[in-house]
Amino acid sequence: MTHSTAVKSTAHKSNSHPVVNDFCITVGTVNGSGSQTANLTLLRALFRMGIPVSGKNIFPSNIQGLPTWYTIRVSKDGYLARVEREDIVVAMNPVSFGHDLASVTPGGAFYYADDMKFPITRNDIVPYAMPVKQLAREADVPPSLRDYIANMVYVGVLAQMLGIDLERILEALNFHFKGKEKPIRSNFDVVKAAAEWASANLEKRDPYRVERMNATEGYIMTDGNTAAALGAIYGGVQFAAWYPITPASSLAETLNEYLPQLRKDPVTGKQTYAVVQAEDELAAVGMAVGAGWAGLRAMTSTSGPGLSLMTEYAGLAYFAEVPVVIWDVQRVGPSTGLPTRTAQGDLTMAYYMSHGDTQHVLLLPGSVSECFEFGWRAFDLAERLQTLVIVLSDLDLGMNQWMTEKFTYPDRPMDRGKVLWEKDLEQLKGEWHRYLDVDGDGITYRTVPGNRHPRAGWFARGTGHNEYATYSESPQDWENNMLRLKKKFETARQLVPKPVIAEGKGAKIGLIAYGSTDPAVNEARDLLSAGGVETDYLRLRALPLNTEVNEFIQAHERTYVVELNRDGQLCQILRAELPAEADRLHSLAHIDGLPLTARWIVQKLLAQEEK
Amino acid sequence: MATQATPTVSPVPGTNAIGLTRADYKGAPSTLCQGCGHNSISSQIIAATFELGLLPEQIVKFSGIGCSSKSPTYFLGRSFGFNGLHGRMPSLAEGALFADTSLKGIGVSGDGDTASIGLGQFKHLVRRNLPIVYIVENNGVYGLTKGQFSATAERGLELKKQGTNPYVPIDICMEALASNASFVARSFAGDPRQVKELIKAAFSHNGVAVLDIISPCVTFNNQEQTIHSYTFGKAHEEPLHEISYVPAREEITIEDFEEGTVREVTLHDGSEIILKKLDKYYDPTDRGEALHMLEQAERNGWLITGLIYINPNQPTLFDYYDLPDTPLNRLGEDRLRPPRETIEMVNSWMF
């Protein structure tokens, strides 16, 4: 959004034609001022009007005081990616007033709190002054809450000026305040008063309007961290350990919120899970590895810096063959980086995480509803493969509100993998060996503590071991074991979610992307197609690669790999794993902390095509 | 932790209350140095668990990295075990023991593993009061890396190749107490009887039982005048009391003791610790006294051993969770996955 002043808009120059359900609103406020309630209310009301809508919170790493922006995109065509277009700007923060004013698209609308006495230096926009302080003063709330409720003024003014149903705003407030009558009423009173004031005092001079649609049927609105937690709950999560970190904290907090409601033991009414807030990420992953080893569906959730701390345990989980799930809600790195901005920069690290020869199964959810699906599937894979599975989400998916398909119930029973209990060992007459590959798929049988059979026990270790789980420094044992682990990784190829492929008309160009860039890629394909450039699109959903990926690359003259990092990490992995296709692969990688836009993809792709 | 095995009537000679022999509690032959204190502690773990009549499958062993952490291979060969990462054994145990809270955990660590790299996890395990027997085989040096100072080495200690240790040592018992440990003991590998009785009591304690056992490293730190050596321990060990453990199933014959010379502490499973007074009376239920005594011992270079502190009733980690009696790791899909009809409700919770 900060680059938007440089963007020459080609659309909406005229005021004469209304622009319906196809524009962006950006709200500039002070962080910690309660504007999130107002912004989410607008977003949700638009969603309830049946209009496709997306919201992005571009916020600072700060609790209170720094400038923060929220952008809402209304798109009749269903595009949910960020766009660099400020059709409507709401300025509530004197510090960012100048920036906000400059950012308005020519012909756009500029709403601002009238207590900010700055000159309006542009005549190519439509300014609207709002009596924010006055309307907040008249609200029926204690003086301490006035600053918070003041944000409802722009909600009411925009509702009036754009045509947002007040009933839908009431529904949004009801949801936000969980049915609590008092805050709902006091907020809604301000919205109504502001709408009435706007009706009486403002003359509509800009083209932007909303109209009811029916394009959100079957969708819900939520964030990826909530979806991931709920998915894990349906996956039967039994143990979660975590340490607070932006932007992953809300994932574990959501577990704590919904587990008591969804996971009371049907037999005893007791809890069938345990969540522990650990002292750090080393302990969080250690606890999860311990629990996974002992037969629990175990997970932890973190972001890049935490993932770094989990590295040593990742190697142990891989080598001792312990099922465990790590959710990495990525933010911008290296180091502390930009903790409140989004990225896909942990791919390489997560894939090879730890020393020696390690490689991990990665799941790459591309939507909020897929966060739910991978929430439960991750456990099936981890237990089937007896290994660490890392799910790579990101801040954009994890923390922003998205319209997303309703969650669907898991379509298959839980896969608990090759676990032997007492009766199994009795049948085997106690003849079993922990690391002996009897099925030839690289996956061996395990027992878990609590199994009382006298032959059940075994000693897990990060040191060299043979097929019988005894300590070994034998070169042959070491090599055999590592080769079997590699074989297991080959088995993983067949088990991980297959990519989703969308085909264009006779396209020679392929696109590969994953995760939260999906909406931008979809929109870019439409823009390219409109300009005569057809593309096929493979959305990767997991590593290791399945054969479909190789076939897709082979079927195209050129394949562009789109991702939100500096180095084109997926492109590097593809080139390394499919060396014969390396020349066909082109990296379109970009990282500035903001969600990817379709325009960036189109520009960069066309620039490379012209070469 | 009421997992005491049911006694059988007149067991076969050489067998314990559950009919197992001492061999059922042994592990692989030790690969540690001849005379290593850790081997002696392993023997007492074998003796204690055999005599307690614990089912080996009911015990889970944990360790970090170092000589001490290798030792779980050398006892309880039938038990499950996990030799984890350096200094990170506490977290491993915390996660694993949630799977079946009827299991008895025993963690074996060293002074490097616990007091240096793992001090944070150690203190947090103590703070959460995870039910586990937590043994620190404390010798003041890193053995596997050939004789560097550890965080418990005394100031001024001189070692070949290392020079003089300039730093003040960390006192593991004091660290445990500072973190509100519910059972803190110090012992000496050269006092096998006390070690065994303390291990038995620790297994019956419902909470974390920290056993800081001075366990001489015969190869790198066994000089006569240093606190971690056999010679020093043999000459200067000062037991706070004579400790005996009496299992719940045995009747205590208190008449054996002179009145006023004995203190009993009843543990969670009904067993008792009998502390017989030696030179002067020491109350192991007084945390203030315990800290004061440790402070004095540190200042004067005393090797105080025995039960330093105990609170048998402190809530454990598991008390904060309302878990079913069936171990979590035996729950099937019917008890773990919410029923199909709930998904619409969940969708309705979203906007």
Side-chain angles (χ1 to χ4, degrees), chain B residues 2-300:
Chain B
T3 45
Q4 197 72 40
T6 317
T8 52
V9 184
S10 59
V12 181
T15 66
N16 64 7
I18 59 167
L20 297 182
T21 65
R22 192 175 288 265
D24 291 312
Y25 295 81
K26 288 188 172 166
S30 173
T31 61
L32 299 173
C33 302
Q34 284 284 330
C36 175
H38 304 352
N39 289 334
S40 152
I41 296 169
S42 293
S43 300
Q44 297 317 313
I45 293 171
I46 291 167
T49 50
F50 168 69
E51 288 171 22
L52 284 171
L54 293 171
L55 186 68
E57 285 73 29
Q58 194 189 344
I59 304 171
V60 189
K61 307 175 285 184
F62 300 95
S63 63
I65 293 294
C67 291
S68 58
S69 294
K70 285 168 87 79
S71 73
T73 306
Y74 317 135
F75 59 82
L76 292 168
R78 274 170 55 173
S79 301
F80 281 86
F82 203 145
N83 176 203
L85 299 181
H86 200 16
R88 319 293 175 213
M89 172 263 277
S91 58
L92 200 62
E94 277 162 307
L97 292 173
F98 265 102
D100 182 344
T101 57
S102 73
L103 295 172
K104 288 190 168 289
I106 176 170
V108 178
S109 178
D111 39 310
D113 199 60
T114 284
S116 287
I117 190 170
L119 191 57
Q121 291 212 350
F122 168 66
K123 291 189 65 120
H124 283 274
L125 172 125
V126 168
R127 161 185 171 243
R128 295 190 182 97
N129 203 24
L130 175 78
I132 189 171
V133 179
Y134 191 104
I135 296 174
V136 185
E137 300 181 338
N138 184 351
N139 57 18
V141 284
Y142 288 83
L144 269 185
T145 50
K146 305 206 167 183
Q148 297 81 9
F149 296 117
S150 90
T152 64
E154 63 265 46
R155 188 178 201 168
L157 176 68
E158 286 181 29
L159 289 177
K160 248 190 279 174
K161 290 191 188 169
Q162 305 300 321
T164 308
N165 178 31
Y167 307 119
V168 290
I170 283 174
D171 184 313
I172 288 163
C173 292
M174 227 189 266
E175 294 298 335
L177 268 178
S179 306
N180 280 303
S182 55
F183 182 123
V184 180
R186 173 165 291 152
S187 193
F188 169 51
D191 183 353
R193 190 195 165 272
Q194 189 196 54
V195 169
K196 186 172 79 177
E197 295 303 296
L198 282 170
I199 290 171
K200 285 183 180 176
F203 268 112
S204 288
H205 175 62
N206 187 32
V208 64
V210 177
L211 273 61
D212 175 19
I213 305 179
I214 304 302
S215 178
C217 173
V218 292
T219 307
F220 296 109
N221 186 18
N222 198 25
Q223 304 164 64
E224 280 184 18
Q225 288 316 305
T226 65
I227 199 161
H228 294 99
S229 72
Y230 274 120
T231 321
F232 185 92
K234 292 279 186 204
H236 301 291
E237 184 194 359
E238 294 181 44
L240 292 167
H241 33 232
E242 193 185 307
I243 180 168
S244 305
Y245 169 87
V246 182
R249 59 178 181 275
E250 278 176 27
E251 203 178 322
I252 302 164
T253 48
I254 214 80
E255 308 88 71
D256 294 353
F257 300 105
E258 210 178 303
E259 200 172 332
T261 63
V262 156
R263 187 188 165 104
E264 303 144 52
V265 181
T266 307
L267 295 171
H268 187 260
D269 63 0
S271 58
E272 305 251 4
I273 303 172
I274 309 291
L275 302 169
K276 191 176 171 195
K277 187 178 114 177
L278 294 175
D279 299 343
K280 53 188 174 187
Y281 180 72
Y282 177 74
D283 179 6
T285 64
D286 183 335
R287 189 161 168 268
E289 192 176 337
L291 281 164
H292 178 66
M293 195 276 298
L294 284 171
E295 175 74 25
Q296 279 188 306
E298 190 187 40
R299 199 167 297 167
N300 299 305

Side-chain angles (χ1 to χ4, degrees), chain A residues 168-181:
Chain A
R168 305 289 89 84
I169 285 178
L170 186 59
E171 286 172 20
L173 287 170
N174 188 44
F175 178 84
H176 188 89
F177 291 107
K178 299 184 161 74
K180 274 183 242 127
E181 205 171 310

Side-chain angles (χ1 to χ4, degrees), chain A residues 310-316 349-350 352-358 360:
Chain A
M310 294 180 182
T311 303
E312 193 182 10
Y313 255 116
L316 180 63
M349 182 212 176
Y352 303 111
M353 190 169 149
S354 211
H355 55 274
D357 294 296
T358 47
H360 305 292

Side-chain angles (χ1 to χ4, degrees), chain A residues 351-352 359 493 543-545 572-579:
Chain A
Y351 194 34
Y352 303 111
Q359 234 180 342
R493 256 180 236 291
L543 285 174
L545 301 169
Q572 291 173 338
I573 290 169
L574 290 168
R575 284 177 180 150
E577 298 206 358
L578 307 169

Side-chain angles (χ1 to χ4, degrees), chain A residues 546-597:
Chain A
N546 354 56
T547 50
E548 284 81 354
V549 181
N550 197 358
E551 289 162 11
F552 180 88
I553 297 166
Q554 284 172 347
H556 295 89
E557 287 177 14
R558 289 174 301 286
T559 291
Y560 292 93
V561 185
V562 178
E563 52 195 315
L564 261 186
N565 53 55
R566 184 190 65 184
D567 296 336
Q569 297 181 9
L570 178 62
C571 193
Q572 291 173 338
I573 290 169
L574 290 168
R575 284 177 180 150
E577 298 206 358
L578 307 169
E581 315 307 331
D583 291 347
R584 296 169 187 259
L585 292 164
H586 303 268
S587 177
L588 291 184
H590 172 61
I591 179 75
D592 61 2
L594 301 175
L596 204 61
T597 64

Side-chain angles (χ1 to χ4, degrees), chain A residues 213-346:
Chain A
M213 287 178 70
N214 192 21
T216 60
E217 194 66 40
Y219 286 83
I220 50 174
M221 180 162 272
T222 188
D223 61 81
N225 285 352
T226 299
L230 285 165
I233 291 171
Y234 278 83
V237 62
Q238 293 171 285
F239 185 85
W242 67 291
Y243 185 75
I245 186 170
T246 303
S249 301
S250 65
L251 203 165
E253 287 166 345
T254 308
L255 284 175
N256 278 328
E257 183 181 353
Y258 290 117
L259 275 166
Q261 299 174 67
L262 290 166
R263 287 284 300 283
K264 263 206 181 84
D265 183 10
V267 179
T268 62
K270 291 177 180 270
Q271 61 184 74
T272 58
Y273 57 85
V275 179
V276 180
Q277 185 183 324
E279 58 269 33
D280 55 31
E281 288 91 347
L282 295 110
V285 72
M287 291 180 197
V289 167
W293 171 68
L296 300 185
R297 296 206 134 185
M299 66 180 283
T300 180
S301 46
T302 189
S303 190
L307 195 71
S308 288
L309 290 178
M310 294 180 182
T311 303
E312 193 182 10
Y313 255 116
L316 180 63
Y318 173 82
F319 186 63
E321 301 182 59
V322 177
V324 62
V325 174
I326 299 176
W327 275 80
D328 174 19
V329 186
Q330 297 167 97
R331 65 190 217 186
V332 180
S335 193
T336 307
L338 299 173
T340 61
R341 300 296 157 84
T342 200
Q344 297 178 319
D346 297 348

Side-chain angles (χ1 to χ4, degrees), chain A residues 450-466:
Chain A
N451 186 327
R452 299 292 209 265
H453 192 281
R455 297 293 301 273
W458 60 283
F459 199 74
R461 54 174 90 244
T463 42
H465 47 258
N466 60 18

